[in-house]
């Protein structure tokens, strides 16, 4: 419900954000699977996924994801994964702008590796 409210508020102000959130969700799944690894920064001079030319600079919605995760952490600390915070906005955005509804199970785990070329 926290994410849905945030999506409704932000997508009402900027409908283009919906496409950005859906696309970010897709690109996270494309390289290494559903693990939110696209959010990771590099630690060892290996370029992360978000720096791949297919993702950068065209992906948008990182700020929304960061704000949604912060809100969830404030209310439910260490319970909801970043990956779930990725999947829920994509689902809620598709409903908000197109009326498309689908189930999204929760409980995904974060990745610990992010590689530019997967």
């Amino acid at each position: 419900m926290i994410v849905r409210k945030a999506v409704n508020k932000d997508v009402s102000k900027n409908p283009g954000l919906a496409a950005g959130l859906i696309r970010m969700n897709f690109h996270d799944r494309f390289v290494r699977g559903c693990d939110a690894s696209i959010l990771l920064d590099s630690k060892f001079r290996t370029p992360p996924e978000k720096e791949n030319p297919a993702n950068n600079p065209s992906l948008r919605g990182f700020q929304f994801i960061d704000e949604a995760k912060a809100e969830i952490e404030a209310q439910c600390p260490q319970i909801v994964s970043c990956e779930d915070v990725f999947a829920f906005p994509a689902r809620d955005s598709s409903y908000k702008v197109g009326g498309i509804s689908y189930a999204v199970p929760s409980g995904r785990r974060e990745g610990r590796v992010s590689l530019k070329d997967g």
Side-chain angles (χ1 to χ4, degrees):
M1 198 61 149
I2 295 168
V3 174
R4 185 170 294 142
K5 282 183 180 180
V7 166
N8 286 335
K9 182 184 86 174
D10 288 9
V11 171
S12 291
K13 293 179 193 172
N14 177 8
L17 177 62
L21 293 170
I22 293 166
R23 182 169 178 258
M24 185 185 296
N25 189 47
F26 166 78
H27 279 271
D28 182 59
R29 278 139 180 69
F30 183 71
V31 177
R32 295 186 63 92
C34 307
D35 62 359
S37 59
I38 202 159
L39 295 175
L40 298 175
D41 293 320
S42 179
K43 289 185 178 180
F44 305 107
R45 290 182 273 206
T46 304
E49 267 178 79
K50 63 182 161 187
E51 291 180 15
N52 184 294
N55 298 330
N56 183 22
S58 63
L59 280 185
R60 54 196 174 125
F62 287 105
Q63 182 177 346
F64 176 87
I65 298 296
D66 290 343
E67 291 171 2
K69 181 64 175 165
E71 178 70 24
I72 288 171
E73 282 299 312
Q75 294 187 35
C76 313
Q78 299 180 358
I79 294 176
V80 181
S81 71
C82 289
E83 178 49 37
D84 285 342
V85 177
F86 246 153
F88 299 155
R91 174 203 59 201
D92 297 340
S93 291
S94 68
Y95 183 75
K96 175 77 174 161
V97 298
I100 299 168
S101 179
Y102 56 93
V104 175
S106 60
R108 288 170 205 74
R109 305 273 180 168
E110 274 90 49
R112 299 197 184 279
V113 175
S114 180
L115 301 174
K116 177 180 173 184
D117 297 318

